Coordinates of all heavy atoms in Angstrom, one line a residue:
M914 N 21.1 -38.4 21.3 CA 21.3 -37.0 21.5 C 22.7 -36.6 21.1 O 22.9 -35.6 20.4 CB 20.9 -36.6 22.9 CG 21.1 -35.2 23.2 SD 19.7 -34.2 22.6 CE 20.1 -32.7 23.2
M915 N 23.6 -37.3 21.6 CA 25.1 -37.1 21.4 C 25.4 -37.3 19.9 O 26.2 -36.5 19.4 CB 25.9 -37.9 22.3 CG 27.4 -37.6 22.2 SD 27.7 -36.1 22.9 CE 29.4 -36.2 23.2
V916 N 24.8 -38.3 19.3 CA 25.1 -38.6 17.9 C 24.6 -37.5 17.0 O 25.2 -37.1 16.1 CB 24.5 -40.0 17.5 CG1 24.6 -40.2 16.0 CG2 25.1 -41.1 18.3
G917 N 23.4 -36.9 17.3 CA 22.8 -35.8 16.6 C 23.7 -34.6 16.7 O 23.9 -33.9 15.7
T918 N 24.2 -34.3 17.8 CA 25.1 -33.2 18.0 C 26.4 -33.3 17.3 O 26.9 -32.4 16.6 CB 25.4 -33.0 19.5 OG1 24.2 -32.8 20.2 CG2 26.2 -31.7 19.7
L919 N 27.0 -34.5 17.3 CA 28.2 -34.8 16.6 C 28.0 -34.7 15.1 O 28.8 -34.2 14.3 CB 28.8 -36.1 17.0 CG 29.4 -36.3 18.4 CD1 29.8 -37.7 18.6 CD2 30.5 -35.3 18.5
R920 N 26.9 -35.2 14.6 CA 26.5 -35.1 13.2 C 26.4 -33.7 12.8 O 26.9 -33.3 11.7 CB 25.3 -35.9 12.9 CG 25.1 -36.2 11.5 CD 23.9 -37.1 11.3 NE 24.3 -38.5 11.7 CZ 23.4 -39.5 11.9 NH1 22.1 -39.3 11.8 NH2 23.8 -40.7 12.2
A921 N 25.7 -32.9 13.6 CA 25.5 -31.4 13.3 C 26.9 -30.7 13.2 O 27.1 -29.9 12.4 CB 24.6 -30.8 14.3
L922 N 27.8 -31.0 14.2 CA 29.1 -30.4 14.2 C 29.9 -30.8 13.0 O 30.7 -30.0 12.4 CB 29.8 -30.8 15.5 CG 29.4 -30.1 16.7 CD1 30.1 -30.6 18.0 CD2 29.6 -28.6 16.6
A923 N 29.8 -32.1 12.5 CA 30.5 -32.6 11.4 C 30.0 -31.8 10.1 O 30.8 -31.4 9.3 CB 30.3 -34.1 11.2
V924 N 28.7 -31.7 10.0 CA 28.1 -30.9 8.9 C 28.6 -29.5 8.9 O 29.0 -28.9 7.8 CB 26.6 -31.0 8.8 CG1 26.0 -30.1 7.8 CG2 26.2 -32.5 8.6
L925 N 28.6 -28.9 10.0 CA 29.1 -27.5 10.1 C 30.5 -27.3 9.8 O 30.9 -26.4 9.1 CB 28.8 -27.0 11.6 CG 29.2 -25.5 11.8 CD1 28.4 -24.6 10.9 CD2 29.0 -25.2 13.3
A926 N 31.4 -28.3 10.2 CA 32.8 -28.3 9.9 C 33.0 -28.4 8.4 O 33.8 -27.8 7.8 CB 33.5 -29.4 10.6
M927 N 32.2 -29.3 7.7 CA 32.3 -29.5 6.3 C 31.9 -28.3 5.5 O 32.5 -27.9 4.6 CB 31.5 -30.7 5.9 CG 31.7 -31.1 4.4 SD 30.7 -32.4 3.7 CE 30.2 -33.4 5.1
M928 N 30.8 -27.6 6.0 CA 30.4 -26.4 5.3 C 31.4 -25.3 5.4 O 31.6 -24.6 4.5 CB 29.0 -26.0 5.9 CG 27.9 -26.9 5.5 SD 26.3 -26.5 6.3 CE 26.2 -24.7 6.1
T929 N 32.0 -25.2 6.6 CA 33.1 -24.2 6.8 C 34.3 -24.5 5.9 O 34.8 -23.5 5.3 CB 33.5 -24.2 8.3 OG1 32.4 -24.0 9.1 CG2 34.5 -23.1 8.5
A930 N 34.7 -25.7 5.8 CA 35.8 -26.1 4.9 C 35.5 -25.8 3.5 O 36.3 -25.3 2.7 CB 36.2 -27.5 5.2
L931 N 34.3 -26.1 3.0 CA 33.9 -25.9 1.6 C 33.7 -24.5 1.3 O 33.8 -24.1 0.1 CB 32.7 -26.8 1.3 CG 32.9 -28.3 1.3 CD1 31.6 -29.0 1.0 CD2 34.0 -28.7 0.2
A932 N 33.4 -23.7 2.2 CA 33.2 -22.2 2.0 C 34.4 -21.6 1.5 O 34.4 -20.6 0.7 CB 32.7 -21.5 3.2
G933 N 35.6 -22.1 1.9 CA 36.9 -21.5 1.4 C 37.2 -21.9 0.0 O 38.2 -21.4 -0.6
C934 N 36.4 -22.8 -0.6 CA 36.7 -23.3 -2.0 C 36.1 -22.4 -3.0 O 36.3 -22.6 -4.2 CB 36.2 -24.7 -2.1 SG 37.1 -25.9 -1.1
I935 N 35.3 -21.4 -2.7 CA 34.6 -20.6 -3.6 C 35.6 -19.7 -4.3 O 36.4 -19.1 -3.7 CB 33.5 -19.8 -3.0 CG1 32.4 -20.7 -2.4 CG2 32.9 -18.8 -4.0 CD1 31.4 -20.0 -1.5
D936 N 35.6 -19.7 -5.6 CA 36.5 -18.9 -6.4 C 36.0 -17.6 -6.8 O 34.9 -17.5 -7.5 CB 36.9 -19.7 -7.7 CG 37.9 -19.0 -8.6 OD1 38.6 -18.2 -8.1 OD2 37.9 -19.3 -9.8
H937 N 36.6 -16.5 -6.3 CA 36.2 -15.2 -6.6 C 37.2 -14.5 -7.5 O 37.3 -13.2 -7.6 CB 36.0 -14.4 -5.4 CG 34.8 -14.9 -4.5 ND1 33.5 -14.7 -4.9 CD2 34.8 -15.6 -3.4 CE1 32.7 -15.3 -4.0 NE2 33.5 -15.8 -3.1
A938 N 38.1 -15.2 -8.2 CA 39.2 -14.6 -8.9 C 38.7 -13.8 -10.1 O 39.3 -12.8 -10.4 CB 40.1 -15.7 -9.4
N939 N 37.6 -14.1 -10.7 CA 37.2 -13.4 -11.9 C 36.1 -12.4 -11.6 O 35.5 -11.8 -12.5 CB 36.7 -14.4 -13.0 CG 37.9 -15.2 -13.5 OD1 39.0 -14.7 -13.6 ND2 37.6 -16.4 -13.8
D940 N 35.7 -12.3 -10.3 CA 34.7 -11.3 -9.9 C 35.2 -9.9 -10.1 O 36.4 -9.6 -9.8 CB 34.2 -11.5 -8.5 CG 33.4 -12.7 -8.3 OD1 32.9 -13.3 -9.3 OD2 33.1 -13.1 -7.2
P941 N 34.4 -9.0 -10.6 CA 34.9 -7.6 -10.7 C 35.0 -6.9 -9.4 O 34.3 -7.3 -8.4 CB 33.8 -7.0 -11.6 CG 32.6 -7.7 -11.2 CD 33.0 -9.1 -11.0
V942 N 35.8 -5.9 -9.3 CA 35.8 -5.0 -8.2 C 34.8 -3.9 -8.4 O 34.7 -3.3 -9.5 CB 37.2 -4.3 -8.1 CG1 37.2 -3.3 -6.9 CG2 38.3 -5.4 -7.9
L943 N 33.9 -3.7 -7.4 CA 32.8 -2.7 -7.5 C 33.3 -1.4 -6.9 O 33.6 -1.3 -5.7 CB 31.6 -3.2 -6.9 CG 31.0 -4.6 -7.4 CD1 29.7 -4.9 -6.7 CD2 30.8 -4.5 -8.9
L944 N 33.3 -0.4 -7.8 CA 33.7 0.9 -7.4 C 32.5 1.8 -7.2 O 31.7 1.9 -8.1 CB 34.6 1.6 -8.4 CG 35.1 3.0 -8.2 CD1 36.0 3.1 -7.0 CD2 35.8 3.5 -9.4
A945 N 32.3 2.3 -5.9 CA 31.1 3.1 -5.6 C 31.2 4.4 -6.3 O 32.2 5.1 -6.3 CB 31.0 3.3 -4.1
V946 N 30.1 4.7 -7.0 CA 30.0 6.0 -7.7 C 28.8 6.8 -7.0 O 27.7 6.3 -7.2 CB 29.8 5.9 -9.2 CG1 29.6 7.2 -9.9 CG2 30.9 5.0 -9.8
G947 N 29.1 7.8 -6.3 CA 28.0 8.5 -5.6 C 27.7 7.7 -4.3 O 28.6 7.2 -3.7
V948 N 26.4 7.6 -4.1 CA 25.9 6.9 -2.9 C 25.3 5.6 -3.4 O 24.2 5.6 -4.0 CB 24.9 7.8 -2.1 CG1 24.4 7.0 -0.9 CG2 25.6 9.1 -1.7
P949 N 25.9 4.4 -3.1 CA 25.3 3.2 -3.6 C 24.0 2.9 -2.8 O 23.8 3.2 -1.7 CB 26.4 2.1 -3.2 CG 27.6 2.9 -2.8 CD 27.2 4.3 -2.5
V950 N 23.2 2.1 -3.5 CA 21.9 1.7 -3.0 C 22.1 0.6 -2.0 O 21.5 0.6 -0.9 CB 20.9 1.3 -4.1 CG1 19.6 0.8 -3.5 CG2 20.7 2.5 -5.0
N951 N 22.9 -0.4 -2.3 CA 23.1 -1.6 -1.5 C 24.6 -1.8 -1.3 O 25.4 -1.3 -2.1 CB 22.5 -2.8 -2.2 CG 21.0 -2.8 -2.2 OD1 20.4 -2.6 -1.2 ND2 20.4 -3.1 -3.4
P952 N 25.0 -2.6 -0.3 CA 26.4 -3.0 -0.2 C 26.8 -3.8 -1.4 O 26.0 -4.4 -2.1 CB 26.4 -3.9 1.0 CG 25.1 -3.7 1.7 CD 24.1 -3.2 0.7
P953 N 28.1 -3.8 -1.7 CA 28.6 -4.5 -2.9 C 28.2 -5.9 -3.1 O 27.9 -6.3 -4.2 CB 30.2 -4.3 -2.8 CG 30.4 -3.2 -1.9 CD 29.2 -3.2 -0.9
A954 N 28.3 -6.7 -2.0 CA 27.9 -8.1 -2.1 C 26.4 -8.3 -2.5 O 26.1 -9.2 -3.3 CB 28.2 -8.8 -0.8
V955 N 25.6 -7.5 -1.9 CA 24.2 -7.6 -2.3 C 23.9 -7.1 -3.7 O 23.2 -7.8 -4.4 CB 23.3 -6.7 -1.3 CG1 21.9 -6.6 -1.7 CG2 23.5 -7.2 0.1
A956 N 24.5 -6.0 -4.1 CA 24.4 -5.5 -5.5 C 24.9 -6.6 -6.5 O 24.2 -6.8 -7.5 CB 25.1 -4.2 -5.7
H957 N 26.0 -7.2 -6.2 CA 26.6 -8.2 -7.1 C 25.6 -9.4 -7.2 O 25.4 -9.8 -8.3 CB 27.9 -8.6 -6.6 CG 28.6 -9.7 -7.4 ND1 29.0 -9.5 -8.6 CD2 28.8 -11.0 -7.1 CE1 29.5 -10.7 -9.1 NE2 29.4 -11.6 -8.2
G958 N 25.1 -9.8 -6.1 CA 24.1 -10.9 -6.2 C 22.9 -10.6 -6.9 O 22.4 -11.4 -7.8
L959 N 22.3 -9.5 -6.7 CA 21.1 -9.0 -7.4 C 21.4 -8.9 -8.9 O 20.6 -9.4 -9.8 CB 20.6 -7.7 -6.9 CG 20.0 -7.7 -5.5 CD1 19.7 -6.2 -5.1 CD2 18.7 -8.5 -5.5
C960 N 22.5 -8.3 -9.3 CA 22.8 -8.1 -10.7 C 23.2 -9.4 -11.4 O 23.0 -9.5 -12.6 CB 23.8 -7.0 -10.8 SG 23.2 -5.4 -10.3
M961 N 23.9 -10.3 -10.7 CA 24.2 -11.6 -11.3 C 22.9 -12.3 -11.6 O 22.8 -13.0 -12.7 CB 25.0 -12.4 -10.3 CG 26.5 -12.1 -10.3 SD 27.3 -12.3 -11.9 CE 27.3 -14.0 -12.0
T962 N 21.9 -12.2 -10.8 CA 20.6 -12.9 -11.1 C 20.0 -12.2 -12.3 O 19.5 -13.0 -13.2 CB 19.7 -12.7 -9.9 OG1 20.3 -13.2 -8.7 CG2 18.3 -13.4 -10.1
D963 N 20.0 -10.9 -12.4 CA 19.5 -10.3 -13.6 C 20.3 -10.7 -14.9 O 19.7 -10.9 -15.9 CB 19.6 -8.7 -13.5 CG 18.5 -8.2 -12.6 OD1 17.6 -8.9 -12.1 OD2 18.5 -7.0 -12.3
G964 N 21.6 -10.7 -14.8 CA 22.4 -11.1 -15.9 C 22.1 -12.6 -16.3 O 22.1 -12.9 -17.5
N965 N 21.9 -13.5 -15.4 CA 21.6 -14.9 -15.7 C 20.3 -15.0 -16.4 O 20.1 -15.7 -17.3 CB 21.7 -15.7 -14.4 CG 23.1 -15.9 -13.9 OD1 24.0 -15.8 -14.6 ND2 23.2 -16.3 -12.6
A966 N 19.3 -14.2 -15.9 CA 18.0 -14.2 -16.6 C 18.1 -13.7 -18.0 O 17.5 -14.2 -18.9 CB 17.0 -13.4 -15.8
M967 N 18.9 -12.6 -18.2 CA 19.1 -12.1 -19.6 C 19.8 -13.1 -20.5 O 19.5 -13.2 -21.7 CB 19.9 -10.8 -19.5 CG 20.1 -10.1 -20.8 SD 18.6 -9.8 -21.8 CE 17.9 -8.5 -20.9
Y968 N 20.8 -13.9 -19.9 CA 21.5 -14.9 -20.7 C 20.5 -15.9 -21.2 O 20.5 -16.2 -22.4 CB 22.5 -15.5 -19.8 CG 23.3 -16.7 -20.5 CD1 24.4 -16.5 -21.2 CD2 22.8 -18.0 -20.3 CE1 25.0 -17.5 -21.9 CE2 23.5 -19.0 -20.9 CZ 24.6 -18.8 -21.7 OH 25.2 -19.8 -22.3
R969 N 19.6 -16.4 -20.3 CA 18.7 -17.4 -20.7 C 17.7 -16.9 -21.8 O 17.4 -17.5 -22.8 CB 17.9 -17.9 -19.5 CG 18.7 -18.8 -18.6 CD 17.9 -19.5 -17.5 NE 17.2 -18.5 -16.6 CZ 17.8 -18.0 -15.6 NH1 19.1 -18.4 -15.3 NH2 17.2 -17.2 -14.8
E970 N 17.3 -15.6 -21.6 CA 16.3 -15.0 -22.5 C 17.0 -14.8 -23.9 O 16.4 -15.0 -24.9 CB 15.8 -13.7 -22.0 CG 14.8 -13.0 -22.9 CD 13.5 -13.8 -23.1 OE1 13.2 -14.6 -22.3 OE2 12.9 -13.5 -24.1
A971 N 18.2 -14.4 -23.9 CA 18.9 -14.1 -25.2 C 19.1 -15.5 -25.9 O 19.0 -15.5 -27.2 CB 20.3 -13.5 -24.9
R972 N 19.4 -16.5 -25.2 CA 19.6 -17.8 -25.8 C 18.2 -18.3 -26.5 O 18.2 -18.8 -27.6 CB 20.0 -18.9 -24.8 CG 21.4 -18.8 -24.3 CD 22.4 -19.2 -25.4 NE 22.3 -20.5 -25.8 CZ 23.4 -21.3 -26.0 NH1 24.6 -20.9 -25.7 NH2 23.2 -22.5 -26.4
R973 N 17.2 -18.1 -25.7 CA 15.8 -18.5 -26.2 C 15.5 -17.6 -27.4 O 15.0 -18.2 -28.4 CB 14.8 -18.2 -25.1 CG 13.5 -18.8 -25.4 CD 12.5 -18.6 -24.2 NE 12.1 -17.3 -24.1 CZ 11.2 -16.7 -24.9 NH1 10.6 -17.3 -25.8 NH2 10.8 -15.4 -24.7
Q974 N 15.7 -16.4 -27.4 CA 15.4 -15.5 -28.5 C 16.2 -15.9 -29.8 O 15.7 -15.9 -30.9 CB 15.6 -14.0 -28.2 CG 14.7 -13.5 -27.2 CD 13.3 -13.4 -27.8 OE1 13.1 -13.1 -28.9 NE2 12.3 -13.6 -26.9
Y975 N 17.5 -16.2 -29.6 CA 18.3 -16.6 -30.7 C 17.8 -17.9 -31.3 O 17.7 -18.0 -32.6 CB 19.8 -16.9 -30.2 CG 20.7 -17.2 -31.4 CD1 21.3 -16.2 -32.2 CD2 20.9 -18.5 -31.7 CE1 22.1 -16.5 -33.2 CE2 21.7 -18.9 -32.8 CZ 22.3 -17.9 -33.5 OH 23.1 -18.2 -34.6
E976 N 17.4 -18.9 -30.5 CA 16.9 -20.1 -31.0 C 15.5 -19.9 -31.8 O 15.3 -20.5 -32.8 CB 16.7 -21.1 -29.9 CG 18.0 -21.6 -29.4 CD 17.9 -22.4 -28.1 OE1 16.7 -22.6 -27.6 OE2 18.9 -22.8 -27.5
L977 N 14.7 -19.0 -31.3 CA 13.5 -18.7 -31.9 C 13.7 -18.0 -33.3 O 13.1 -18.3 -34.3 CB 12.6 -17.8 -31.1 CG 11.9 -18.4 -29.9 CD1 11.2 -17.4 -29.0 CD2 10.9 -19.5 -30.3
R978 N 14.7 -17.1 -33.3 CA 15.0 -16.4 -34.6 C 15.6 -17.4 -35.6 O 15.3 -17.4 -36.8 CB 16.1 -15.3 -34.4 CG 15.4 -14.0 -33.9 CD 16.4 -12.9 -34.0 NE 17.6 -13.1 -33.2 CZ 17.8 -12.8 -31.9 NH1 16.8 -12.3 -31.3 NH2 18.9 -13.1 -31.3
A979 N 16.4 -18.4 -35.1 CA 16.9 -19.4 -36.0 C 15.8 -20.3 -36.6 O 15.8 -20.6 -37.8 CB 17.9 -20.3 -35.3
Q980 N 14.8 -20.6 -35.8 CA 13.7 -21.4 -36.3 C 12.8 -20.6 -37.3 O 12.4 -21.1 -38.3 CB 12.8 -21.8 -35.1 CG 13.4 -22.8 -34.3 CD 12.5 -23.1 -33.1 OE1 11.4 -22.5 -32.9 NE2 12.9 -24.1 -32.2
L981 N 12.6 -19.3 -37.0 CA 11.8 -18.4 -37.9 C 12.5 -18.2 -39.3 O 11.8 -18.1 -40.3 CB 11.5 -17.1 -37.3 CG 10.5 -17.1 -36.1 CD1 10.5 -15.8 -35.5 CD2 9.2 -17.6 -36.6
T982 N 13.8 -18.2 -39.3 CA 14.6 -17.9 -40.6 C 14.8 -19.2 -41.3 O 15.3 -19.2 -42.4 CB 15.9 -17.2 -40.3 OG1 16.7 -18.0 -39.4 CG2 15.6 -15.8 -39.8
G983 N 14.5 -20.4 -40.7 CA 14.6 -21.6 -41.4 C 15.8 -22.4 -41.2 O 16.1 -23.4 -41.9
Y984 N 16.7 -22.0 -40.3 CA 17.9 -22.7 -40.0 C 17.5 -23.9 -39.1 O 16.8 -23.8 -38.1 CB 18.9 -21.9 -39.3 CG 19.5 -20.8 -40.1 CD1 19.3 -19.5 -39.9 CD2 20.4 -21.2 -41.2 CE1 19.9 -18.5 -40.6 CE2 20.9 -20.2 -42.0 CZ 20.7 -18.9 -41.7 OH 21.3 -17.9 -42.5
A985 N 18.0 -25.1 -39.5 CA 17.6 -26.3 -38.8 C 18.3 -26.3 -37.4 O 17.7 -26.6 -36.4 CB 18.1 -27.5 -39.6
E986 N 19.6 -25.9 -37.4 CA 20.3 -25.8 -36.2 C 20.9 -24.4 -36.0 O 21.4 -23.8 -36.9 CB 21.5 -26.8 -36.2 CG 21.1 -28.2 -36.0 CD 22.3 -29.1 -35.9 OE1 23.4 -28.6 -35.5 OE2 22.2 -30.3 -36.2
A987 N 20.8 -23.9 -34.8 CA 21.4 -22.6 -34.5 C 22.9 -22.8 -34.3 O 23.4 -23.8 -33.9 CB 20.8 -22.1 -33.2
D988 N 23.7 -21.8 -34.7 CA 25.1 -21.8 -34.5 C 25.4 -21.6 -33.0 O 25.1 -20.5 -32.4 CB 25.7 -20.6 -35.3 CG 27.2 -20.6 -35.3 OD1 27.8 -21.6 -34.8 OD2 27.8 -19.6 -35.7
E989 N 26.0 -22.6 -32.4 CA 26.2 -22.6 -31.0 C 27.1 -21.5 -30.5 O 26.9 -20.9 -29.5 CB 26.7 -24.0 -30.5 CG 26.8 -24.2 -29.0 CD 25.5 -24.1 -28.3 OE1 24.4 -24.5 -28.9 OE2 25.5 -23.6 -27.2
L990 N 28.2 -21.3 -31.3 CA 29.2 -20.3 -30.9 C 28.5 -18.9 -31.0 O 28.7 -18.1 -30.1 CB 30.4 -20.4 -31.8 CG 31.5 -19.3 -31.5 CD1 32.0 -19.5 -30.1 CD2 32.6 -19.5 -32.5
E991 N 27.8 -18.6 -32.0 CA 27.1 -17.3 -32.1 C 26.1 -17.1 -31.0 O 26.0 -16.0 -30.5 CB 26.5 -17.2 -33.5 CG 25.9 -15.8 -33.8 CD 25.4 -15.6 -35.2 OE1 25.2 -16.7 -35.9 OE2 25.0 -14.5 -35.5
A992 N 25.3 -18.2 -30.8 CA 24.3 -18.1 -29.7 C 25.0 -17.8 -28.4 O 24.5 -16.9 -27.6 CB 23.5 -19.4 -29.6
E993 N 26.1 -18.5 -28.1 CA 26.8 -18.2 -26.8 C 27.4 -16.8 -26.7 O 27.3 -16.2 -25.7 CB 27.9 -19.3 -26.7 CG 28.7 -19.1 -25.4 CD 27.9 -19.5 -24.1 OE1 26.9 -20.2 -24.3 OE2 28.4 -19.2 -23.0
T994 N 27.9 -16.3 -27.8 CA 28.5 -15.0 -27.9 C 27.4 -13.9 -27.6 O 27.6 -13.0 -26.8 CB 29.2 -14.8 -29.2 OG1 30.2 -15.8 -29.4 CG2 29.8 -13.4 -29.3
I995 N 26.3 -14.1 -28.3 CA 25.2 -13.1 -28.2 C 24.6 -13.2 -26.7 O 24.4 -12.1 -26.1 CB 24.1 -13.4 -29.2 CG1 24.7 -13.0 -30.6 CG2 22.9 -12.6 -28.9 CD1 23.8 -13.4 -31.7
A996 N 24.5 -14.3 -26.2 CA 23.9 -14.5 -24.9 C 24.8 -13.9 -23.8 O 24.4 -13.2 -22.9 CB 23.6 -15.9 -24.6
R997 N 26.1 -14.2 -23.9 CA 27.1 -13.6 -23.0 C 27.2 -12.1 -23.0 O 27.2 -11.5 -22.0 CB 28.5 -14.2 -23.2 CG 28.7 -15.6 -22.7 CD 30.1 -16.1 -23.0 NE 30.3 -17.3 -22.3 CZ 31.1 -17.5 -21.3 NH1 31.9 -16.4 -20.9 NH2 31.3 -18.6 -20.7
A998 N 27.1 -11.6 -24.2 CA 27.2 -10.1 -24.4 C 25.9 -9.5 -23.8 O 26.0 -8.5 -23.1 CB 27.3 -9.7 -25.8
A999 N 24.8 -10.1 -24.0 CA 23.5 -9.6 -23.4 C 23.5 -9.6 -21.9 O 23.1 -8.7 -21.2 CB 22.3 -10.3 -24.0
A1000 N 24.0 -10.7 -21.4 CA 24.1 -10.9 -19.9 C 25.1 -9.9 -19.3 O 24.8 -9.3 -18.3 CB 24.6 -12.3 -19.5
H1001 N 26.2 -9.6 -20.0 CA 27.2 -8.6 -19.5 C 26.6 -7.2 -19.5 O 26.7 -6.5 -18.5 CB 28.5 -8.7 -20.3 CG 29.5 -7.8 -19.8 ND1 30.2 -8.0 -18.6 CD2 30.0 -6.6 -20.3 CE1 31.0 -7.0 -18.4 NE2 30.9 -6.1 -19.4
R1002 N 25.9 -6.9 -20.6 CA 25.3 -5.6 -20.6 C 24.3 -5.4 -19.5 O 24.2 -4.3 -18.9 CB 24.6 -5.4 -22.0 CG 25.6 -5.1 -23.1 CD 24.9 -4.6 -24.4 NE 23.8 -5.6 -24.8 CZ 24.1 -6.6 -25.7 NH1 25.3 -6.8 -26.1 NH2 23.1 -7.4 -26.0
Q1003 N 23.5 -6.4 -19.3 CA 22.5 -6.4 -18.2 C 23.1 -6.2 -16.9 O 22.7 -5.4 -16.0 CB 21.6 -7.6 -18.2 CG 20.5 -7.6 -17.2 CD 19.5 -6.5 -17.4 OE1 19.2 -6.1 -18.5 NE2 19.0 -6.0 -16.3
Y1004 N 24.2 -7.0 -16.6 CA 24.9 -6.9 -15.3 C 25.5 -5.5 -15.1 O 25.3 -4.9 -14.0 CB 26.0 -7.9 -15.3 CG 26.9 -7.9 -14.1 CD1 26.4 -8.4 -12.9 CD2 28.2 -7.4 -14.1 CE1 27.2 -8.4 -11.8 CE2 28.9 -7.4 -13.0 CZ 28.5 -7.9 -11.8 OH 29.2 -7.8 -10.7
V1005 N 26.1 -4.9 -16.1 CA 26.7 -3.6 -16.0 C 25.6 -2.5 -15.8 O 25.8 -1.6 -15.0 CB 27.6 -3.3 -17.2 CG1 28.0 -1.8 -17.2 CG2 28.8 -4.2 -17.2
A1006 N 24.5 -2.7 -16.5 CA 23.4 -1.7 -16.4 C 22.8 -1.8 -15.0 O 22.5 -0.8 -14.4 CB 22.4 -1.9 -17.5
C1007 N 22.6 -3.0 -14.5 CA 22.1 -3.2 -13.2 C 23.0 -2.6 -12.1 O 22.5 -1.9 -11.2 CB 21.9 -4.7 -12.9 SG 21.3 -5.0 -11.2
L1008 N 24.3 -2.8 -12.2 CA 25.2 -2.3 -11.2 C 25.3 -0.8 -11.3 O 25.4 -0.1 -10.3 CB 26.6 -2.8 -11.4 CG 26.9 -4.2 -10.9 CD1 28.3 -4.7 -11.2 CD2 26.7 -4.3 -9.4
S1009 N 25.1 -0.2 -12.5 CA 25.1 1.2 -12.6 C 23.9 1.8 -11.9 O 24.0 2.8 -11.2 CB 25.0 1.6 -14.1 OG 24.9 3.0 -14.3
G1010 N 22.8 1.1 -12.0 CA 21.6 1.5 -11.3 C 21.7 1.4 -9.8 O 21.1 2.1 -9.0
Q1011 N 22.6 0.5 -9.3 CA 22.8 0.3 -7.9 C 23.8 1.3 -7.4 O 24.0 1.4 -6.2 CB 23.3 -1.1 -7.6 CG 22.3 -2.2 -7.9 CD 21.3 -2.3 -6.8 OE1 21.6 -2.0 -5.6 NE2 20.1 -2.6 -7.1
G1012 N 24.5 2.0 -8.3 CA 25.5 3.0 -7.8 C 26.9 2.5 -7.9 O 27.8 3.1 -7.1
Y1013 N 27.2 1.6 -8.7 CA 28.6 1.0 -8.8 C 29.1 1.0 -10.2 O 28.3 1.0 -11.2 CB 28.6 -0.4 -8.3 CG 28.4 -0.6 -6.8 CD1 27.2 -0.9 -6.3 CD2 29.4 -0.3 -5.9 CE1 26.9 -1.0 -4.9 CE2 29.2 -0.4 -4.6 CZ 28.0 -0.8 -4.1 OH 27.8 -0.9 -2.7
R1014 N 30.4 1.0 -10.3 CA 31.0 0.8 -11.6 C 31.9 -0.4 -11.5 O 32.6 -0.6 -10.5 CB 31.8 2.0 -12.0 CG 32.5 1.9 -13.3 CD 33.2 3.2 -13.7 NE 33.8 2.9 -15.0 CZ 34.4 3.9 -15.7 NH1 34.4 5.1 -15.2 NH2 34.9 3.6 -16.8
T1015 N 32.0 -1.2 -12.5 CA 32.8 -2.4 -12.5 C 34.2 -2.2 -12.9 O 34.5 -1.5 -13.9 CB 32.2 -3.6 -13.3 OG1 32.1 -3.1 -14.6 CG2 30.9 -4.0 -12.8
L1016 N 35.2 -2.7 -12.2 CA 36.6 -2.7 -12.6 C 37.0 -4.2 -12.7 O 36.9 -4.9 -11.7 CB 37.4 -2.0 -11.6 CG 37.1 -0.5 -11.4 CD1 38.0 0.1 -10.3 CD2 37.4 0.2 -12.7
Y1017 N 37.5 -4.6 -13.9 CA 38.0 -6.0 -14.1 C 39.5 -6.0 -14.1 O 40.2 -5.2 -14.7 CB 37.5 -6.5 -15.4 CG 36.0 -6.8 -15.4 CD1 35.1 -5.8 -15.8 CD2 35.5 -8.0 -14.9 CE1 33.7 -6.0 -15.8 CE2 34.1 -8.2 -14.8 CZ 33.3 -7.2 -15.3 OH 31.9 -7.5 -15.3
A1018 N 40.1 -7.0 -13.4 CA 41.5 -7.2 -13.4 C 41.9 -7.9 -14.7 O 41.3 -8.9 -15.0 CB 42.0 -7.9 -12.2
D1019 N 42.8 -7.4 -15.4 CA 43.3 -8.0 -16.7 C 44.5 -8.8 -16.5 O 45.3 -8.7 -15.7 CB 43.5 -7.0 -17.8 CG 42.1 -6.4 -18.2 OD1 41.2 -7.2 -18.2 OD2 42.1 -5.3 -18.6

């Protein structure tokens, strides 16, 4: 019984220590425009999920277009650029729908 409690406390302490290691330096500041639908943390999480899905879809579509046009290998840099741009557009559009505007620190 005592060992289980100590083990649970050790896991909790490790999780607390590791939670401080999350890097939010490049996250945008969400500026509320009007009346937001969700709190900023919830909106960011939802829209990151949408952006990640768009990234994967854009990569898949690029590879399919490369196969259809007869290129043996897709250009990795171009595929990455197109996928990142599509993901960013989706993220910004999603946040706009949630009632936020993104501000990035340069």
Side-chain angles (χ1 to χ4, degrees):
M914 179 78 173
M915 184 70 160
V916 173
T918 304
L919 288 176
R920 195 173 286 164
L922 286 174
V924 169
L925 182 62
M927 186 184 336
M928 288 173 49
T929 303
L931 291 176
C934 297
I935 298 172
D936 180 22
H937 295 286
N939 294 324
D940 285 351
V942 175
L943 301 182
L944 176 65
V946 179
V948 179
V950 177
N951 288 311
V955 173
H957 177 70
L959 290 172
C960 294
M961 281 297 291
T962 303
D963 283 356
N965 289 340
M967 181 56 73
Y968 176 87
R969 287 188 299 274
E970 181 63 22
R972 290 289 296 227
R973 191 179 71 77
Q974 290 292 324
Y975 183 85
E976 291 168 5
L977 286 174
R978 279 192 301 274
Q980 289 175 359
L981 289 174
T982 56
Y984 291 113
E986 286 186 25
D988 183 14
E989 187 62 32
L990 180 60
E991 186 178 10
E993 181 70 16
T994 302
I995 290 171
R997 281 178 171 249
H1001 182 72
R1002 285 190 305 270
Q1003 180 65 35
Y1004 176 75
V1005 170
C1007 176
L1008 280 178
S1009 177
Q1011 292 284 327
Y1013 291 98
R1014 182 175 177 173
T1015 57
L1016 298 175
Y1017 290 94
D1019 289 328

